[in-house]
Amino acid sequence: MAATISRNKYKKFADSETQLDIDEAILDYLLYTATQDLLDQELAQKYDSTAAAGRQRAEIVFQMVESFLIIFQSIHPEYHGSSITQFRLSLLRFTTLFTRRTEDSKSNPSSAALLSLRSQHHERAQAFLSHYNVTAGLDLSAFDNSTPIAKCCRGQQRPLILEKFISTGSPRGYHGSSRSISLLDTLPSFMALSAAQNILQGNHITILWMELAARYMAEAVLEQYLIYGAEGPGVIREAFAYGFNVESIAQADNEDLRITNMFWGGENECEIPGWKNIRYEHLSALLPPDGVSLQDHLHSLEAEVLSLIDFQEKLLKFLGKLLRAQPEPVLMQIERGKIDGVSRKDTQALKEKVLFA
């Protein structure tokens, strides 16, 4: 396995011109493998709730990535990685958050880190909303009720929804608590991943992606009200606080700037066509019709249209497609004895050069 190449062993033989290439190849391999293991383990758990071996392997590989990243950054402090490496890193970060959000895992952020993350996300959303009213024309008064829906329904639908997310090794009561990672917590990471993919491919976002992103936002809102006990309309505004607005660019950092630019239409500093309508449709769907209580409407949405568990499976398939859409890491190709576009003889020579046993 490529990850068994020790830093000292290859450093002794690699000259200064090739060391960065070898280091990045190992990092690329680890990022790909860790993401694949997380997705495989999540799929295995769906069919076998006792699949502990896959869980343990995924945790080990993730820890290897963290350890190697420290080494990589200490050796190459000024190098931030190629576009494919940045994309794989974004993919792993999001996949880790998303697949581990319903369980008490060692790879999850600490309580303090999670609070800090939420604060950063809230500040970003407020900065964006100060220039862009995403709920213009919508009546959100139904969400002004001060009693959290989740508290009203603890003996009704809420336990039924939570039961679908019970994970092996996670205590009951973890998912939906302030210690667990919500969809709203993972949403900025999803947007950062999408921006990294957009840069890598050099394409504009598609209508299909817009539909997925808007559904993600709607699902995050549903979960906040039905599971986490959110109050007031603030959650809705924060979840849908994405789009292109030229005034917000001046306040954006590098990552936020990449996300904002993803929605740029390319002409006259306008938002990409289609996004405003798709976002509005998903926002409108959350509002109860006349004569229907907010509680009944949101439960009906979750049961019939915006199932949280169905969405989770949809996202896992999407992540698998993202992973497979990119070329396999070079070290993985070397393991098979053939690099795409390279002869077997040259592959063998490279294999020996990087001390691949």
Side-chain angles (χ1 to χ4, degrees):
M1 180 178 177
T4 62
I5 303 175
S6 72
R7 172 187 170 190
N8 292 333
K9 186 177 180 182
Y10 73 71
K11 186 175 181 181
K12 179 179 179 181
F13 295 91
D15 59 43
S16 59
E17 294 180 352
T18 61
Q19 183 175 327
L20 175 58
D21 293 335
I22 295 174
D23 287 351
E24 188 164 26
I26 295 173
L27 178 60
D28 189 46
Y29 181 99
L30 289 174
L31 292 172
Y32 186 97
T33 304
T35 305
Q36 188 174 54
D37 283 353
L38 282 170
L39 292 173
D40 289 348
Q41 186 268 320
E42 195 71 15
L43 181 63
Q45 182 173 286
K46 177 183 176 182
Y47 298 103
D48 180 8
S49 60
T50 63
R55 178 188 304 275
Q56 185 176 16
R57 172 180 163 79
E59 290 285 353
I60 291 173
V61 176
F62 181 80
Q63 291 169 12
M64 290 171 64
V65 172
E66 287 192 317
S67 299
F68 191 79
L69 268 174
I70 295 173
I71 295 174
F72 185 90
Q73 290 166 354
S74 68
I75 299 175
H76 313 288
E78 303 300 322
Y79 185 68
H80 301 293
S82 64
S83 57
I84 183 66
T85 300
Q86 290 179 16
F87 168 76
R88 292 213 216 272
L89 185 57
S90 294
L91 180 57
L92 176 59
R93 284 172 174 166
F94 174 74
T95 302
T96 303
L97 278 176
F98 189 78
T99 59
R100 293 293 184 260
R101 69 186 194 86
T102 62
E103 60 186 69
D104 194 1
S105 169
K106 292 180 181 179
S107 58
N108 288 352
S110 65
S111 297
L114 193 54
L115 285 175
S116 176
L117 193 68
R118 288 170 180 162
S119 178
Q120 292 173 25
H121 295 169
H122 181 72
E123 290 175 6
R124 183 212 62 81
Q126 292 307 306
F128 180 85
L129 292 170
S130 67
H131 301 290
Y132 196 139
N133 183 5
V134 297
T135 57
L138 294 173
D139 181 8
L140 303 182
S141 59
F143 289 86
D144 287 335
N145 189 328
S146 60
T147 304
I149 296 174
K151 291 183 179 178
C152 296
C153 306
R154 286 193 182 278
Q156 301 173 32
Q157 292 96 331
R158 184 177 185 270
L160 298 179
I161 298 173
L162 284 173
E163 188 67 27
K164 303 174 186 176
F165 291 95
I166 295 297
S167 299
T168 303
S170 293
R172 289 183 179 273
Y174 175 76
H175 182 48
S177 71
S178 61
R179 296 180 295 118
S180 67
I181 302 170
S182 69
L183 284 175
L184 189 63
D185 295 329
T186 67
L187 183 54
S189 182
F190 171 76
M191 302 305 287
L193 168 62
S194 299
Q197 181 201 21
N198 199 53
I199 292 172
L200 185 64
Q201 296 183 337
N203 297 329
H204 289 297
I205 53 177
T206 64
I207 294 295
L208 188 62
W209 179 88
M210 293 182 211
E211 292 281 358
L212 178 64
R215 178 171 177 183
Y216 202 132
M217 297 169 191
E219 296 280 4
V221 170
L222 271 182
E223 186 184 56
Q224 284 297 307
Y225 289 109
L226 296 179
I227 302 300
Y228 285 87
E231 303 177 41
V235 166
I236 300 176
R237 296 191 178 98
E238 181 172 339
F240 283 89
Y242 292 95
F244 181 81
N245 180 266
V246 69
E247 284 83 8
S248 66
I249 291 178
Q251 300 179 7
D253 62 17
N254 290 336
E255 185 171 278
D256 287 339
L257 184 60
R258 289 192 291 270
I259 294 172
T260 299
N261 285 340
M262 182 170 58
F263 292 95
W264 179 42
E267 296 181 1
N268 302 320
E269 297 180 341
C270 293
E271 195 168 69
I272 192 165
W275 174 239
K276 184 176 182 179
N277 290 337
I278 290 173
R279 183 181 57 206
Y280 185 87
E281 289 171 3
H282 284 75
L283 273 164
S284 300
L286 293 168
L287 305 181
D290 292 341
V292 179
S293 71
L294 178 62
Q295 174 181 324
D296 289 343
H297 176 62
L298 294 185
H299 278 298
S300 176
L301 274 180
E302 201 285 324
E304 300 173 7
V305 182
L306 297 175
S307 164
L308 288 166
I309 196 69
D310 288 349
F311 176 70
Q312 177 164 303
E313 293 179 8
K314 184 181 182 72
L315 248 293
L316 290 173
K317 292 178 181 178
F318 172 75
L319 295 175
K321 289 179 180 178
L322 283 185
L323 184 67
R324 293 189 297 273
Q326 305 304 323
E328 287 186 337
V330 172
L331 293 185
M332 188 169 286
Q333 296 181 46
I334 292 178
E335 274 189 326
R336 295 200 312 268
K338 181 68 172 70
I339 300 176
D340 294 339
V342 178
S343 68
R344 291 191 179 278
K345 180 179 179 181
D346 289 341
T347 298
Q348 182 60 32
L350 180 60
K351 188 174 183 179
E352 294 172 357
K353 186 173 185 178
V354 297
L355 307 181
F356 211 110

